[in-house]
Amino acid sequence: MKVRVVSDEGEFRAMRQAWDALLGRSGTGSVFLTWEWLYTWWKSFGDDKQLYIIVAGDDETRAILPLYRRKVPGFVYPGSVKLEFLGTGEERSDEVCSYMLDMIAEAGCEEQAYADIFAFLREVRPCDWDLMSLKFVSSRSGFIDAARRYFGEDAYTVHVEESFRNGITLLDDGWQGFYNGLGKKTRKMVRSGRRRLESMNGFSYRFLQRRDELSGMLDAFVKLSLKRWGGGGAFASPKFSSFQRAVCEEFADRGMLKLSLMEVGGRPVAGNLDYCYRDTVYGYQTAFDAGFSKNLSVGLLGMLYCIENAAEEGFRKYDWYRVARESYKERFISCYEEIVNLVVARKSFYIALLGLLGRLKKL
């Protein structure tokens, strides 16, 4: 396959149709690899970066590796350049939490794509980069083993480190099957909590239905989030907030946004900002009014309404994102996906970095 680099934002914008068509033909089905997510991210966070999207194919696009370049601070290795996934690398306060990132390759073409794109990076454009820091990849991805094969030689070092566990609820048996599989105490908590909520005057749990509802519902959700975190949290970041509003508009237009609010007497008390793609609903953010009721977990109950809705609409998975060990969420999880970070570095860069760390320890 012919391999080239897209570094122009206008060309990235024009790739929309081909990008999402390829993602639909691939075995990589993450919402965080859609053109809508990554292009919106680039518009929000790309100021100090250079696009470096690697595209492979002959008559049509068969593979895309969505990267960008930026310089590594000079105190590590003067003039060195790092490649990272689009969707990662923001300031911590702006972090958008993209995950399940990967090369997008047409099903059946993965091995050829790995071979051609990694050969391009190793042999055709070796001077374009010194370090690849590729975060939040599924440990099951063939991309990991391919990187080990193609860069496991004297000139490079390859390192894979664990990042977090991604929790998934399977919905093949529908809502009732999921509910019946919960522990006895958990079922009782869900049943009694719902009964109390639904008996309250003016209770409703509603999902975004029309495009003209988006602005008002999103404003209500953001207010709940800011209140939950005492004026802080993700939406306190202007960059994060602007990004989310833009990506919600994109997803709403494609039917990929599942924004919901729980209200009692016209007062929003909880909400969920979720996305959907293929067979999965992604539980992205939950917000709730902690002062509404000390004896009701309205945030958790809201998430369970979202899971019920996902099952009713035929989705097969609900993705909880990061699930810590011994978290309350574990009782609802069917299986886990290990998420890892991949680092490929030139040996010269790696040795220089180790030397710097050694000197810092002596200070």
Side-chain angles (χ1 to χ4, degrees):
M1 290 187 281
K2 295 178 182 177
V3 181
R4 63 188 182 90
V5 172
V6 172
S7 57
D8 177 71
E9 184 179 305
E11 188 173 358
F12 184 14
R13 183 171 58 250
M15 292 175 69
R16 179 175 191 157
Q17 186 174 352
W19 187 298
D20 282 341
L22 175 64
L23 187 60
R25 301 194 306 270
S26 76
T28 308
S30 170
V31 72
F32 304 107
L33 284 170
T34 59
W35 179 93
E36 289 80 2
W37 180 267
L38 294 178
Y39 182 76
T40 305
W41 181 91
W42 176 255
K43 293 290 288 182
S44 300
F45 298 101
D47 291 346
D48 59 342
K49 306 169 182 70
Q50 179 187 358
L51 277 174
Y52 199 85
I53 301 171
I54 303 176
V55 178
D58 295 314
D59 295 333
E60 62 179 326
T61 301
R62 301 289 185 185
I64 296 172
L65 185 56
L67 306 178
Y68 68 86
R69 299 169 77 232
R70 64 174 162 181
K71 289 185 178 180
V72 179
F75 60 82
V76 176
Y77 193 80
S80 57
V81 175
K82 176 165 64 169
L83 297 178
E84 299 177 72
F85 274 130
L86 290 171
T88 66
E90 317 89 356
E91 295 293 329
R92 187 174 180 82
S93 60
D94 301 328
E95 190 174 9
V96 303
C97 301
S98 308
Y99 62 103
M100 297 293 285
L101 300 174
D102 210 327
M103 180 185 294
I104 305 168
E106 186 168 323
C109 297
E110 294 91 347
E111 288 303 321
Q112 188 63 52
Y114 296 146
D116 291 345
I117 288 178
F118 286 149
F120 177 84
L121 284 168
R122 194 182 62 234
E123 299 164 13
V124 180
R125 293 285 189 93
C127 296
D128 281 1
W129 62 283
D130 299 284
L131 170 72
M132 279 196 289
S133 179
L134 305 181
K135 294 183 176 180
F136 311 135
V137 185
S138 168
S139 62
R140 297 187 296 107
S141 171
F143 187 78
I144 302 292
D145 288 337
R148 287 189 173 115
R149 291 197 307 272
Y150 288 99
F151 292 101
E153 56 185 47
D154 291 342
Y156 299 93
T157 183
V158 179
H159 178 65
V160 178
E161 62 180 11
E162 292 182 4
S163 182
F164 62 88
R165 294 189 312 165
N166 184 43
I168 297 169
T169 294
L170 300 177
L171 299 173
D172 292 328
D173 296 325
W175 164 256
Q176 200 59 49
F178 162 73
Y179 176 78
N180 291 341
L182 299 175
K184 184 177 180 180
K185 289 184 178 179
T186 302
R187 291 199 306 273
K188 182 179 179 181
M189 179 274 292
V190 174
R191 187 169 58 249
S192 62
R194 283 188 160 198
R195 188 181 298 123
R196 286 183 59 195
L197 274 173
E198 292 168 9
S199 67
M200 292 180 178
N201 186 40
F203 168 83
S204 68
Y205 200 95
R206 63 189 179 98
F207 288 82
L208 178 71
Q209 298 294 327
R210 302 192 316 271
R211 182 66 165 75
D212 60 4
E213 297 176 326
L214 175 58
S215 180
M217 287 186 69
L218 190 55
D219 285 346
F221 179 86
V222 171
K223 287 179 182 178
L224 278 172
S225 179
L226 291 170
K227 185 174 183 179
R228 175 189 178 186
W229 298 108
F235 281 98
S237 159
K239 274 196 167 184
F240 177 91
S241 185
S242 175
F243 165 77
Q244 275 301 327
R245 289 184 182 278
V247 87
C248 281
E249 290 179 359
E250 291 282 356
F251 282 175
D253 288 340
R254 284 199 59 191
M256 293 165 56
L257 179 66
K258 296 188 76 64
L259 176 62
S260 55
L261 288 175
M262 180 190 296
E263 296 173 320
V264 176
R267 169 188 171 186
V269 297
N272 280 78
L273 175 58
D274 295 353
Y275 312 128
C276 57
Y277 185 70
R278 289 190 180 177
D279 64 353
T280 304
V281 173
Y282 295 81
Y284 186 72
Q285 275 214 4
T286 298
F288 56 87
D289 182 349
F292 170 69
S293 174
K294 299 296 184 183
N295 301 316
L296 269 177
S297 300
V298 290
L300 174 58
L301 290 168
M303 292 185 78
L304 294 173
Y305 279 113
C306 291
I307 291 175
E308 182 177 20
N309 174 264
E312 288 175 348
E313 293 192 355
F315 291 96
R316 297 182 58 234
K317 301 175 188 175
Y318 188 88
D319 188 323
W320 293 71
Y321 180 50
R322 188 188 303 255
V323 177
R325 298 187 188 281
E326 300 184 11
S327 162
Y328 73 91
K329 295 178 181 179
E330 286 190 316
R331 74 186 90 169
F332 305 105
I333 302 300
S334 306
C335 58
Y336 294 93
E337 184 99 18
E338 296 294 334
I339 305 299
V340 300
N341 299 331
L342 169 69
V343 177
V344 179
R346 291 183 183 282
K347 279 282 177 66
S348 55
F349 178 89
Y350 187 67
I351 291 169
L353 179 59
L354 290 178
L356 172 66
L357 293 175
R359 291 193 297 274
L360 289 174
K361 285 182 180 179
K362 294 178 181 179
L363 295 178

